[in-house]
Amino acid sequence: MQNSKFGTFKMIFRQIGGLLIILGYAMVVPLLVSLVYSEFYSTIGFLFSGLICYLIGFLLYKKIKVTSEPLNRHAIIIAALGWLSIAIMGALPFIIIAYITPTVIAQQFVPTLTDYQSSIFYFKNPLHALFESMSGFTTTGLSMALHVPTIGKGLIFYRSYTQLLGGAGFIVLTIALLGQTSGKVAYLLYGAESTGERLRPGIIQTTRSIWKTYIGLTLFSFVYLVIGTYLIIPEYSITENIFDSINHAMAGQSTGGFSTLESSIATYHSTAMDMLYLLPMILGALSLPFYFKVLKEKQFSQFWKNLQTRSIIILSAIGGIILSFMLIKSGIVSEPFRKGIFQFISALTTTGWQTSDIHTWDSSSVLFIVVVGMIVGGAAGATVGGVKIIRILLLFKGLSWHINGYFSSDNSIKIVKFNEKRMLPDEMNSELAKVATFVFIYLLLLIVGTIITYYFMIPGFTLKDALFESASALGTVGLSCGITNPEMSPVLEITYIIQMWAGRLEIIPVLVLFRAIFLGTKPKVV
Amino acid sequence: MGVRVEDDAPIINKSIAESALLLSNISFMIVAVLRNENTLIPTGNLQIMKGDLLYFVATDSGKDKVLEYAGKKTIQIKSILIIGGSKTGIYIALRLSKLYTIKLIEKNLEKCNYLAKNIPNVQFVCGDGADVGLLKEEGISNFDAVISVTGNAETNIFSCLLAKDLGVKKTIAMVENIGLFDYSQKMGVDTLINKKMAAANFVFRHILKDRVLTQLYGVNAKIQEFVVRKNSRIIDIPIKKLNFPKEAIISGVIRDGKGYITLGNFELKADDTVFVFSMPQSIKNVISFFK
């Protein structure tokens, strides 16, 4: 018994080793970017972080010999633990660079005529570094870097880059690149992290297809943003334009929401730029398997026919307009339409680019954006957080199905048609049970997070702010009303780290991990 | 089409010649009368009696007039209850689900679930089609038509009779048992389906190389199809003056894709397609007549 338990952990650590090898390789890209911008301290930081990740990964992956193959529960534990390890190891560059960069060099990033310090030094605190890393990999976008441009181009790029890596799923990426785990194992891992939808006959081809689609879309966003930015503000420096666009394309397609600018997209001070950035957010909120099928079969009418995609487009428009009217009613916000629509879509797609100071909003507008935007989230199979729109639709369908059931006789077979699928009552009930359980635990975690926030936040904020910030972390949105900052309580910071981690993995894997740690892996017999 | 003469029909106890005055039009005609299991090819003097089953030939527009003539009202059918998820039942459901509101009752739960999952626009109910309580609960009297196609003829007849009793206007039962066939119609089931007969009709038609179109149940007469030749001696003469074989009747003509009902004054032309209704004994005469 003891032996098999040990074997279980060996197997899990071996898989995590695989993830770390890929992370080590991945550090090469920000290393090159640092070199391009002649930020040598950052270069060294990435070099060491990469080497450490690779070495640990190599040791775990190659030295551990396993005989047994992972089962479903192992795959889920690997997903939960793997994401935690990646966030921890991904924090290394922040810490190392914060410690090795001399103050003089760091202050060069700070614009003249300002009196604040470079934000790099916040990352000397490992918790802040972990927060930033977790926020990046889970595509949240909450940040400890108070003044983003002061951390150097290398780290700015690295932040957006972690969102790109985390977006379509780091485990999916590992399966695609390592490609040596057996099909069954790979499929279990893929299912534990993502939708588990098979696009091609083999699982490895499937994961590669997903990543190709994802990278393709990111490139499209990049070109779109470069051209758009150039047309709207031609006086903006072209190198800055390219740097911004490549970062924003990565952060947008992954619905992460990190920005390269002092105060996110609002820095451009242009309505046209706000509108330009709506498209990358919506593109990011649509399901990747959906893109793959549409592009492969060239059925572009699916953008309207597909239930999830259509719902997101409709909800974006209606929600944005409703929020705008609520802001008009409150009378607090200037340019309510511009801000209402942008912020609503940013919340719904769980991107988190910010153009408005949400702290000043009235409670009902905040409640609306939390419930209809952040909690709902984008499409299942996309890079978004939240409970995913398809689940909300299923719950509504279940409600109407239940009500309609009273009007047909006892013996009728009460078929329900949902998303082009005809389901028998038994199938529908089991779907509903799964979804309802998830939504329940999601809301529970949101409430717990809100209460913790309420007790540990800095004075000056109210319950609506606590709710907003907690929903933002759990839904991996990244909009902030100001509670998240380097001076926040460590308890709160850890709460948000856990919320982001759980929110990205849809909670259940994290609970399974806790069950395994505290109660072991033996099945419960009543 | 076959219509049974009801009590209050205006044509009872009148000869066909008399009744023709009731409705002066030429959109339909009677081609055969089935009385006490005997088939009669009508002549002008034939008296129509209550309980006769009249077979009509009618153009599209004449259908409603036939019903009026025989004392029946047209029934608007919107909802159909199908009892039995047999192949026949499934096929009916599939074909009609877009046009009518359909409910299908099937006994076997697994089959019911399978069908419900795969056939859209049909309400499936799991239960016994012979269970009166269930039929009432499913609101059998609200349906315009009941089609009972379980594997059991007795169940089918019973369900249809029950439906009739509860006010359903049109009932159809599948009866494979020939012995029950005549009686079930007498008892009040409107229409009967018999797979063997349908199959036999098809085979029969195939053997006679499409000349015999169909055989009507209970009627010995057959419908045959001929094309009038160019130099035939029957062209341009009113039908009543032709020496047409006895126990056979020209029931209709298709000329240039349009259907005509042929009364006595009708004149045949070359290349007309003629439909002839004839008793078996005169088939040979009819064939030679068109040669």
Side-chain angles (χ1 to χ4, degrees):
Chain A
M1 196 65 220
Q2 195 62 35
N3 196 20
S4 85
K5 195 178 180 185
F6 187 60
T8 305
F9 279 105
K10 280 210 303 193
M11 176 167 63
I12 290 168
F13 280 119
R14 182 173 186 271
Q15 294 292 335
I16 290 170
L19 300 179
L20 294 181
I21 291 177
I22 299 296
L23 184 62
Y25 279 123
M27 297 267 183
V28 174
V29 181
L31 184 147
L32 293 176
V33 173
S34 307
L35 265 183
V36 168
Y37 283 95
S38 316
E39 293 171 356
F40 299 113
Y41 290 100
S42 300
T43 314
I44 295 166
F46 287 122
L47 182 66
F48 277 106
S49 317
L51 280 177
I52 293 170
C53 289
Y54 183 80
L55 223 60
I56 296 176
F58 185 81
L59 286 177
L60 289 173
Y61 193 70
K62 296 285 174 188
K63 295 296 165 193
I64 295 179
K65 294 277 178 285
V66 283
T67 42
S68 53
E69 294 221 310
L71 301 170
N72 195 15
R73 60 171 175 275
H74 301 138
I76 286 179
I77 295 172
I78 290 165
L81 213 52
W83 274 81
L84 190 61
S85 342
I86 288 161
I88 291 170
M89 298 308 281
L92 282 179
F94 291 110
I95 303 172
I96 294 175
I97 293 168
Y99 275 101
I100 63 172
T101 310
T103 318
V104 188
I105 303 285
Q107 284 308 117
Q108 285 172 3
F109 301 131
V110 181
T112 43
L113 299 174
T114 46
D115 55 353
Y116 52 77
Q117 263 205 322
S118 164
S119 298
I120 288 188
F121 301 115
Y122 291 125
F123 297 126
K124 282 189 173 173
N125 180 345
L127 196 58
H128 290 344
L130 176 61
F131 185 95
E132 197 77 6
S133 172
M134 186 62 98
S135 173
F137 280 107
T138 58
T139 75
T140 306
L142 290 171
S143 182
M144 283 293 146
L146 214 50
H147 303 285
V148 178
T150 64
I151 62 170
K153 297 284 195 217
L155 271 185
I156 293 176
F157 179 84
Y158 177 65
R159 285 180 354 137
S160 317
Y161 182 65
T162 55
Q163 299 202 315
L164 181 80
L165 293 180
F170 201 84
I171 294 174
V172 172
L173 177 68
T174 308
I175 297 168
L177 292 181
L178 282 183
Q180 21 180 253
T181 25
S182 79
K184 186 173 152 260
V185 180
Y187 185 67
L188 287 173
L189 285 170
Y190 172 54
E193 188 189 54
S194 308
T195 54
E197 196 172 342
R198 232 176 242 254
L199 301 177
R200 305 258 300 270
I203 194 66
I204 298 192
Q205 293 99 300
T206 300
T207 54
R208 283 183 186 157
S209 300
I210 285 186
W211 267 84
K212 275 182 203 158
T213 314
Y214 179 58
I215 298 289
L217 284 164
T218 310
L219 286 177
F220 169 78
S221 277
F222 167 61
V223 174
Y224 165 84
L225 287 176
V226 168
I227 295 171
T229 311
Y230 181 73
L231 291 178
I232 294 166
I233 32 177
E235 68 277 9
Y236 196 60
S237 135
I238 193 80
T239 49
E240 284 298 302
N241 177 358
I242 289 173
F243 185 74
D244 283 1
S245 299
I246 202 162
N247 279 287
H248 288 158
M250 291 194 292
Q253 184 54 43
S254 65
T255 68
F258 274 147
S259 172
T260 55
L261 305 164
E262 179 71 34
S263 43
S264 197
I265 307 302
T267 318
Y268 290 117
H269 299 294
S270 153
T271 311
M273 285 301 280
D274 285 4
M275 296 303 129
L276 182 74
Y277 274 85
L278 292 180
L279 184 69
M281 292 197 281
I282 293 176
L283 286 182
L286 304 182
S287 158
L288 288 169
F290 164 76
Y291 278 120
F292 178 77
K293 282 180 210 151
V294 168
L295 295 174
K296 195 175 155 216
E297 285 156 25
K298 308 243 182 306
Q299 289 178 333
F300 295 100
S301 61
Q302 283 292 325
F303 275 100
W304 190 248
K305 278 187 191 153
N306 182 282
L307 177 68
Q308 276 205 98
T309 310
R310 186 177 61 220
S311 312
I312 286 169
I313 294 169
I314 293 173
L315 188 58
S316 298
I318 294 178
I321 290 165
I322 292 177
L323 182 62
S324 307
F325 278 110
M326 289 174 88
L327 291 176
I328 291 172
K329 185 88 174 58
S330 75
I332 299 162
V333 181
S334 60
E335 297 183 276
F337 269 102
R338 174 181 166 186
K339 287 179 176 155
I341 290 174
F342 189 91
Q343 291 300 264
F344 184 80
I345 292 178
S346 181
L348 178 70
T349 62
T350 75
T351 308
W353 280 326
Q354 205 155 353
T355 54
S356 176
D357 183 6
I358 292 166
H359 176 51
T360 60
W361 287 14
D362 64 302
S363 301
S364 70
S365 304
V366 170
L367 193 64
F368 180 80
I369 199 171
V370 166
V371 173
V372 184
M374 293 185 181
I375 293 179
V376 172
T383 58
V384 296
V387 301
K388 317 282 187 285
I389 202 158
I390 196 85
R391 294 204 175 95
I392 301 291
L393 292 171
L394 185 82
L395 287 181
F396 274 109
K397 191 79 186 182
L399 181 65
S400 76
W401 176 61
H402 191 70
I403 290 170
N404 286 332
Y406 285 108
F407 292 92
S408 43
S409 61
D410 294 344
N411 295 305
S412 304
I413 310 285
K414 298 170 192 89
I415 282 284
V416 58
K417 192 175 161 211
F418 181 69
N419 200 7
E420 304 300 313
K421 216 174 121 196
R422 297 169 61 77
M423 285 190 282
L424 289 173
D426 285 353
E427 295 171 297
M428 182 66 179
N429 276 327
S430 92
E431 285 285 315
L432 272 177
K434 259 190 269 173
V435 170
T437 313
F438 173 71
V439 173
F440 168 72
I441 189 74
Y442 190 91
L443 294 179
L444 195 67
L445 205 55
L446 173 63
I447 290 165
V448 170
T450 307
I451 292 170
I452 294 175
T453 312
Y454 186 73
Y455 283 109
F456 287 93
M457 65 193 178
I458 313 162
F461 293 102
T462 55
L463 184 64
K464 75 168 163 64
D465 299 318
L467 175 69
F468 184 86
E469 205 76 3
S470 176
S472 180
L474 185 59
T476 73
V477 179
L479 290 170
S480 174
C481 59
I483 292 176
T484 303
N485 66 50
E487 272 81 48
M488 74 198 287
S489 148
V491 177
L492 197 50
E493 205 170 336
I494 292 168
T495 308
Y496 286 168
I497 289 174
I498 292 173
Q499 280 197 325
M500 292 190 280
W501 176 41
R504 172 63 179 86
L505 291 167
E506 303 197 329
I507 304 171
I508 306 294
V510 175
L511 296 180
V512 173
L513 175 66
F514 284 149
R515 155 73 153 82
I517 290 172
F518 296 117
L519 300 172
T521 50
K522 267 193 278 181
K524 189 174 179 181
V525 182
V526 189
Chain B
M1 63 203 291
V3 177
R4 195 170 286 278
V5 178
E6 303 276 328
D7 294 347
D8 52 352
I11 53 170
I12 286 184
N13 298 331
K14 287 186 177 147
S15 73
I16 288 179
E18 283 168 9
S19 67
L21 299 172
L22 282 173
L23 291 150
S24 55
N25 65 67
I26 50 161
S27 54
F28 67 91
M29 71 183 288
I30 299 171
V31 290
V33 177
L34 185 67
R35 180 182 300 163
N36 299 331
E37 293 165 41
N38 295 321
T39 309
L40 308 166
I41 296 289
T43 56
N45 306 325
L46 187 75
Q47 282 245 323
I48 294 168
M49 319 244 286
K50 181 194 158 195
D52 283 354
L53 186 62
L54 306 181
Y55 283 95
F56 290 89
V57 172
T59 56
D60 258 358
S61 56
K63 276 186 204 162
D64 294 344
K65 284 175 187 149
V66 170
L67 295 171
E68 200 183 322
Y69 179 76
K72 292 217 174 185
K73 287 168 198 81
T74 10
I75 303 165
Q76 261 299 337
I77 289 180
K78 281 184 187 138
S79 55
I80 299 174
L81 178 70
I82 300 173
I83 299 170
S86 59
K87 271 184 190 156
T88 320
I90 296 165
Y91 196 65
I92 295 170
L94 275 173
R95 285 283 290 268
L96 300 183
S97 62
K98 284 201 179 116
L99 306 168
Y100 306 98
T101 313
I102 291 187
K103 192 181 264 192
L104 195 153
I105 300 179
E106 160 63 39
K107 209 191 282 183
N108 183 332
L109 180 63
E110 265 175 48
K111 192 170 183 186
C112 224
N113 282 339
Y114 173 77
L115 294 176
K117 210 171 149 72
N118 292 295
I119 301 176
N121 303 325
V122 176
Q123 171 67 60
F124 287 88
V125 174
C126 183
D128 189 347
D131 180 348
V132 182
L134 178 98
L135 291 177
K136 281 187 176 162
E137 194 189 318
E138 296 303 331
I140 190 170
S141 51
N142 299 332
F143 287 91
D144 298 324
V146 170
I147 303 175
S148 192
V149 285
T150 64
N152 185 329
E154 288 85 349
T155 306
N156 294 343
I157 295 166
F158 171 74
S159 314
C160 282
L161 293 179
L162 181 75
K164 259 287 180 265
D165 192 47
L166 290 170
V168 176
K169 293 165 218 153
K170 177 92 183 163
T171 54
I172 300 170
M174 182 162 80
V175 179
E176 288 302 300
N177 184 342
I178 300 285
L180 286 171
F181 208 87
D182 296 319
Y183 291 101
S184 47
Q185 202 153 31
K186 275 190 190 142
M187 282 155 82
V189 179
D190 292 316
T191 308
L192 296 170
I193 305 172
N194 186 304
K195 284 192 280 192
K196 284 176 211 144
M197 263 182 223
N201 253 336
F202 187 78
V203 172
F204 195 63
R205 189 172 152 189
H206 190 70
I207 291 170
L208 288 182
K209 294 198 178 81
D210 286 343
R211 223 168 42 208
V212 171
L213 293 177
T214 182
Q215 191 183 21
L216 298 165
Y217 171 71
V219 181
N220 292 324
K222 290 169 178 58
I223 301 174
Q224 290 169 282
E225 181 189 315
F226 298 94
V227 177
V228 179
R229 292 165 187 235
K230 283 218 170 66
N231 46 9
S232 175
R233 59 191 166 81
I234 55 175
I235 289 173
D236 293 339
I237 302 168
I239 288 175
K240 60 185 173 192
K241 290 192 181 153
L242 288 173
N243 188 17
F244 201 71
K246 285 214 171 108
E247 306 201 298
I249 185 166
I250 296 178
S251 54
V253 167
I254 293 180
R255 184 179 292 164
D256 302 330
K258 235 184 121 184
Y260 295 92
I261 298 297
T262 50
L263 295 182
N265 298 324
F266 195 87
E267 291 171 9
L268 293 174
K269 293 218 157 48
D271 294 334
D272 281 356
T273 305
V274 181
F275 293 91
V276 175
F277 210 85
S278 62
M279 295 296 280
Q281 58 265 37
S282 54
I283 284 183
K284 276 183 187 163
N285 296 337
V286 172
I287 292 173
S288 63
F289 179 80
F290 281 97
K291 265 185 181 157

